Amino acid sequence: MATLPTVHILFENPAWNPPLLDALEAEGFPYELHYLVDGVLDPSTEPPEGIWINRVSPSSHTRDHGHTVTMAREILFWLELHGRRVINGLRAFEFEMSKLRQDLILRKYGILTPRTVLAVGTKNLVEQAQTFDGPFITKHNQGGKGLGIHLFYNADQLEAFLASGEFDAGPDGKVILQQYIQPPEPYITRVELVGDRFLFAMRSRTDEGFQLCPSDACQVPASNPDVCPIDGEDSDSVGVSTKFSQSPITADDELVIKMLRMIAAEGIEVAGIEFVQGADGLRYTYDINGTTNYSGVLGKQTGIDGMREVVRYIKHHVVPQLAGLRAA
Ligand SMILES: Nc1ncnc2c1ncn2[C@@H]1O[C@H](COP(=O)(O)OP(=O)(O)O)[C@@H](O)[C@H]1O
Ligand SMILES: [Mg+2]
């Protein structure tokens, strides 16, 4: 068997690496880690050969890495200009960095979303808030781990909050106002997709707040600055996931089919897409995660190791594709 190409991992949060590295080792891939917090890029140089995977998260700035996202944009451009194969490359990255753009593509593929508006500036925020009939939430356009999420019942409440000086408009001042969909059952569903495949869907309990990263590394107290500050463990003492459970959704679900069509057409190869079911029975989709993480506890229960599936996708789809390109 021919030797496998090196997989280059562009990352910012080391806590999320172990499941990916384990999977790469298990499938026999050599890999190189590229820690992206600041750096240098000389355009006269060429990127190393191999397959690249982008694992840079929109929440990097909350781990004191305020320059990661801007540097990642340049590096991804450089990689793609040189024809490097990047999994979740620049186009996918720009979707992950903007909830507005996520809403635009979801709608383009006929996927129902909560009413969503982007606003910059206090005056615009208040004016737009007045156009919502019921409760709404604010979010950072460059989101991740529930950043900037607050629930309001009317525009006056938002105005008072803005006046208090406690409001954080996020890394670039772009704020999303979004219709709040109150789930009758306290969970959201996250659909995990890789390439043209549905892996599984997961329910996440929402009764503990808005921060729902499934990574095992994020199920620890906020005292560790390198991980998502979700309070509470994901598992009870016998290792059964209490926060995450498998959803009954299957690959032939109409919503899953639309999501797969969307990611294929828009250049997203690895995605965890979230929806919430409202009291009207409709499913509203609101978040596309490219730097998706998988709950190891749930993986043990379902027998599906998400990262292993990502690496198998690289092995069985991306590697042959590259070999085909070279041969042509
Ligand atoms: N429109 C909405 N209606 C009800 N709950 C929502 C809505 N949008 C987000 N949430 C809740 O907040 C969580 C975080 O929001 P999300 O848009 O996924 O941001 P992030 O990118 O930070 O994960 C969601 O998983 C869900 O529980
Ligand atoms: Mg989310």
Side-chain angles (χ1 to χ4, degrees):
M1 201 184 74
T3 47
L4 290 168
T6 300
V7 174
H8 296 274
I9 305 155
L10 215 50
F11 76 101
E12 168 276 329
N13 186 358
W16 290 334
N17 284 339
L20 175 59
L21 304 188
D22 289 349
L24 287 167
E25 274 164 26
E27 293 293 332
F29 276 100
Y31 60 79
E32 266 178 44
L33 288 162
H34 302 266
Y35 185 43
L36 187 53
V37 291
D38 45 26
V40 173
L41 180 53
D42 175 349
S44 69
T45 59
E46 279 200 23
E49 294 285 349
I51 294 167
W52 290 72
I53 180 161
N54 176 25
R55 299 278 302 153
V56 170
S57 148
S59 62
S60 307
H61 60 287
T62 64
R63 286 176 291 274
D64 268 345
H65 301 148
H67 297 135
T68 295
V69 166
T70 149
M71 199 60 194
R73 287 195 165 106
E74 307 304 345
I75 289 183
L76 291 170
F77 188 87
W78 173 66
L79 292 173
E80 291 179 2
L81 190 83
H82 284 281
R84 292 297 176 272
R85 181 66 169 80
V86 188
I87 293 160
N88 281 19
L90 188 54
R91 188 175 168 82
F93 188 63
E94 294 301 353
F95 289 129
E96 181 151 25
M97 294 304 129
S98 167
K99 290 193 180 294
L100 177 83
R101 295 186 196 187
Q102 291 170 24
D103 191 72
L104 282 165
I105 55 168
L106 288 163
R107 294 159 63 94
K108 179 174 171 188
Y109 294 89
I111 297 171
L112 179 68
T113 61
R115 183 173 168 242
T116 299
V117 183
L118 173 79
V120 178
T122 308
K123 183 169 161 284
N124 292 323
L125 274 168
V126 174
E127 271 178 22
Q128 288 305 312
Q130 285 160 351
T131 68
F132 282 80
D133 287 336
F136 61 89
I137 53 182
T138 55
K139 304 180 178 184
H140 292 174
N141 186 52
Q142 184 185 317
K145 65 180 199 186
L147 292 172
I149 300 198
H150 299 280
L151 174 61
F152 299 96
Y153 289 89
N154 55 54
D156 292 346
Q157 280 183 354
L158 173 65
E159 195 167 17
F161 191 56
L162 292 169
S164 75
E166 277 171 48
F167 186 73
D168 166 14
D172 54 10
K174 293 181 197 148
V175 176
I176 292 289
L177 293 173
Q178 191 168 74
Q179 173 190 6
Y180 176 66
I181 309 295
Q182 168 106 53
E185 305 283 337
Y187 63 81
I188 61 99
T189 302
R190 180 158 166 145
V191 179
E192 298 292 354
L193 309 172
V194 176
D196 61 1
R197 275 185 64 214
F198 164 84
L199 294 186
F200 62 93
M202 175 184 90
R203 286 181 175 173
S204 299
R205 280 205 350 244
T206 53
D207 40 8
E208 288 169 21
F210 291 126
Q211 299 175 359
L212 297 175
C213 175
S215 164
D216 296 342
C218 295
Q219 313 310 315
V220 298
S223 51
N224 182 343
D226 288 336
V227 300
C228 292
I230 295 180
D231 290 322
E233 300 284 326
D234 171 33
S235 57
D236 65 18
S237 55
V238 289
V240 175
S241 178
T242 49
K243 185 165 180 178
F244 307 117
S245 59
Q246 194 167 12
S247 152
I249 291 208
T250 51
D252 57 1
D253 188 296
E254 179 203 2
L255 181 56
V256 172
I257 292 167
K258 285 183 183 171
M259 288 174 174
L260 282 169
R261 202 175 291 146
M262 175 186 74
I263 68 165
E266 299 296 337
I268 305 168
E269 293 177 86
V270 179
I273 307 182
E274 297 175 7
F275 71 81
V276 56
Q277 187 153 13
D280 54 10
L282 298 174
R283 299 179 293 182
Y284 296 82
T285 303
Y286 58 83
D287 190 22
I288 305 174
N289 299 280
T291 324
T292 193
N293 287 301
Y294 306 96
S295 158
V297 180
L298 184 67
K300 284 202 188 83
Q301 285 170 38
T302 60
I304 303 167
D305 175 342
M307 278 304 177
R308 190 74 183 260
E309 295 305 324
V310 170
V311 173
R312 286 189 178 128
Y313 167 75
I314 298 176
K315 195 175 199 173
H316 301 301
H317 293 265
V318 182
V319 171
Q321 220 178 43
L322 275 187
L325 280 180
R326 265 196 215 103

